[in-house]
Amino acid sequence: MKASPATTASAAATAAGHTRLHGSLLAGPEKRALVWMANRMPAWVNSDHLSALGLVSMAGVGASFWLAGARPAAGVPLVVVCLVLNWFGDSMDGTLARVRNRQRPRYGFYVDHVIDIAGTAMMLAGLAASGHMGPLVAAVTLAAWLIVMGESFLATWARGLFRMSFLWFGPTELRILIAIGALMLLGGGLVRPFGLGPYRLFDVGGVCATAGLVVVFVVNAVRNTVALYREETRADSN
C-alpha cells in the first residue's frame, strides 16, 4: 500500500528550527540513491564543493539555453548535462552533510536557497536571450517563482515547516520537465496547444508555470494563514 505524502515526505527537524516536508513523486527513490552515493563519495569532496557545482551548473543551464538559440544541436545537450550536474550538486550537498554528521543547518539553508534564486534567474535570463522564451514571459515567471519562494520562507519562520514539493511535484520533477522541453527544441520548439498558434514551447511553459505558481502561492498562503490563526487563537483562549 502506498504511503501518504506526509509519511513519505522525509520530514526531519533540523537544528535550524524547521521541519522539511518532501513528498514529491520521486522523493523516496531519490533519497535512497543520494544516501548510497554519499556513502561512496571521496573524502576530499565536501558539501561546499557540491553547492558550488549546483551554482556553476545553473549558470551553465542559462548559457546553454542561450547557445541553443543559435545552435540547438550544441546547446540542447549541454542544457540536459548541466541540469543533471545541478541535480547532483544541489541534492547531494545536504545529504552528504547529514551522512557525515557535519551539518550546518542555518548556513546550509541560507546558501542553498541563495543559489536557487540566482540559478533560476540565470536560467530564465538564458532562455530570454535565446529567443525561445519572450523576455516578458521570463520576467513574469521569475516574479511568480520568487513570490512562492517568499511565502515558503515566511512559512518556515512562522510555522517551522519548509515544504519542498506541491502535489507530488518537486525540484527533481521540475528539472526533468525542463530537460524534456529543451530536447523538444531540437524539433523547432513550436507548439499548437488546442489547435492554436504556433507558439514558442517555453512561452507556453512559462505561462503554465506562472499559473501553477499562483495556485501554489494562494493555496499555501491560505493554508498557513488558517493554521496560524487557529494555533494562536487557541493559545489566547487558554
Side-chain angles (χ1 to χ4, degrees):
M1 182 176 66
K2 186 175 180 179
S4 68
T7 59
T8 61
S10 180
T14 73
H18 67 265
T19 299
R20 300 166 68 246
L21 300 175
H22 192 9
S24 71
L25 186 64
L26 298 175
E30 180 182 30
K31 180 182 178 181
R32 291 190 292 271
L34 289 169
V35 171
W36 185 89
M37 288 186 287
N39 282 316
R40 289 157 180 80
M41 192 70 62
W44 61 267
V45 177
N46 63 41
S47 296
D48 289 332
H49 295 144
L50 294 167
S51 296
L53 174 63
L55 177 61
V56 171
S57 59
M58 277 308 287
V61 171
S64 299
F65 268 125
W66 169 77
L67 177 62
R71 300 177 60 188
V76 166
L78 285 174
V79 169
V80 177
V81 170
C82 289
L83 283 170
V84 172
L85 290 174
N86 174 257
W87 169 80
F88 182 76
D90 184 52
S91 302
M92 179 63 76
D93 55 1
T95 301
L96 186 65
R98 287 186 288 274
V99 166
R100 293 180 177 175
N101 196 26
R102 296 178 182 173
Q103 295 165 276
R104 296 167 292 177
R106 290 180 299 153
Y107 168 85
F109 183 86
Y110 179 81
V111 170
D112 192 46
H113 293 100
V114 165
I115 289 174
D116 285 345
I117 291 169
T120 301
M122 288 188 288
M123 180 187 71
L124 289 170
L127 270 167
S130 73
H132 289 301
M133 176 183 267
L136 179 59
V137 176
V140 171
T141 303
L142 178 60
W145 184 80
L146 289 173
I147 289 171
V148 170
M149 292 296 287
E151 192 282 330
S152 177
F153 298 150
L154 288 170
T156 302
W157 182 87
R159 297 195 63 204
L161 296 175
F162 179 65
R163 296 185 181 275
M164 300 178 63
S165 58
F166 186 83
L167 293 180
W168 305 286
F169 197 83
T172 298
E173 289 79 8
L174 179 59
R175 290 185 187 96
I176 293 171
L177 195 60
I178 294 170
I180 292 171
L183 291 172
M184 290 179 67
L185 295 180
L186 294 173
L190 297 176
V191 293
R192 293 179 176 272
F194 307 109
L196 304 175
Y199 300 110
R200 288 177 293 199
L201 170 66
F202 277 95
D203 278 346
V204 175
V207 170
C208 292
T210 299
L213 288 166
V214 170
V215 171
V216 171
F217 172 76
V218 171
V219 170
N220 285 343
V222 170
R223 173 167 52 190
N224 288 321
T225 298
V226 170
L228 288 166
Y229 176 83
R230 288 175 175 171
E231 289 168 9
E232 298 200 340
T233 301
R234 188 181 305 116
D236 289 341
S237 65
N238 292 333

